[in-house]
Amino acid sequence: MFVNRRLKQRVSTMSSIAENLSRVREQIASAAAKSGRSADDVELVAITKTHPGDKVREAIEAGQTLFGESRVQEARAKIPELPSNIRWHFVGHLQKNKVRQALSLFEMIHGVDSLALAQDINRVAEEDGTYPRVLLEVNMAGEGSKFGFAADLLHEQMEGLLALPRVSIEGLMCIPPLTNESEPSRKFFVQLRELRESLENEFDLQLPQLSMGMTNDYPIAVEEGATLVRVGTAIFGERKARKGNL
């Protein structure tokens, strides 16, 4: 009876995650259509922060192949337990002493938030013979509690960033101020898109990726041009509380 109860719980959880994924994908497709885009223009990054490998496997069984983590230590423990063909993006604040580990685990780093960090990534990549793909994080609201380039500083430092031979800059990323409503995020998504266009024109380059939008506002982000949305809670449920400061 205990085994049957466990099996029923697993089936129920799988159904829930599969249903959640389906709902998120439908909302992405609807938002894309609303703005005259194809759903294929948007990739869903399922954020697995604090969620165990079993939940990730359930998402994999439901067809999800791209996942995101925000702590290198957690990713080092989780990723080797899961299928090797799964793709991983790093979406948190990357500490300099974790750069080498992160580059070995993730195909893209979303939150390069300073020239100094980009230089460290370039140095490690030269030593390891890799060419990391990164996004530049922009603090669009100028919040003191968040990391990221100020928009005007990014313009000033872009030449230095582009001079790093090993770092492939593919776009921009932002995290708007957290609110109970989704609509206030829109202006920050618009500003990020416009900043991308300004940088492309000024420096004659292509920045195809815009990573913006999370559980509370990803449909609006898609409407405003997101190519990557980072969704965790809407798929896996509320995160478990963590002990300590890790």
Side-chain angles (χ1 to χ4, degrees), residues 215-236:
T215 286
N216 62 322
D217 55 18
Y218 68 89
I220 287 176
V222 172
E223 291 177 16
E224 297 301 339
T227 62
L228 295 158
V229 292
R230 312 176 304 272
V231 182
T233 302
I235 298 169
F236 298 107

Side-chain angles (χ1 to χ4, degrees), residues 74-87:
E74 183 177 346
R76 288 184 66 193
K78 188 181 300 181
I79 290 176
E81 298 177 351
L82 295 163
S84 59
N85 63 330
I86 296 306
R87 300 161 54 210

Side-chain angles (χ1 to χ4, degrees), residues 8-74:
K8 289 179 180 179
Q9 289 174 345
R10 175 170 167 76
V11 170
S12 174
T13 303
M14 289 179 65
S15 175
S16 176
I17 288 177
E19 290 171 359
N20 290 345
L21 272 168
S22 178
R23 188 179 307 112
V24 169
R25 291 169 182 151
E26 288 174 1
Q27 290 179 330
I28 289 172
S30 176
K34 186 176 179 180
S35 58
R37 305 171 65 205
S38 166
D40 293 337
D41 295 336
V42 185
E43 279 200 282
L44 169 61
V45 187
I47 306 302
T48 58
K49 173 183 176 182
T50 77
H51 295 294
D54 285 347
K55 281 193 172 184
V56 182
R57 289 189 186 92
E58 292 163 12
I60 294 170
E61 291 173 18
Q64 182 65 21
T65 59
L66 176 57
F67 296 89
E69 277 286 341
S70 61
R71 292 185 174 92
V72 173
Q73 185 174 349
E74 183 177 346

Side-chain angles (χ1 to χ4, degrees), residues 172-190:
L172 306 179
M173 175 264 216
C174 77
I175 303 174
L178 183 62
T179 65
N180 293 327
E181 302 294 330
S182 58
E183 187 61 33
S185 296
R186 188 184 298 274
K187 67 178 181 180
F188 298 105
F189 298 148
V190 171

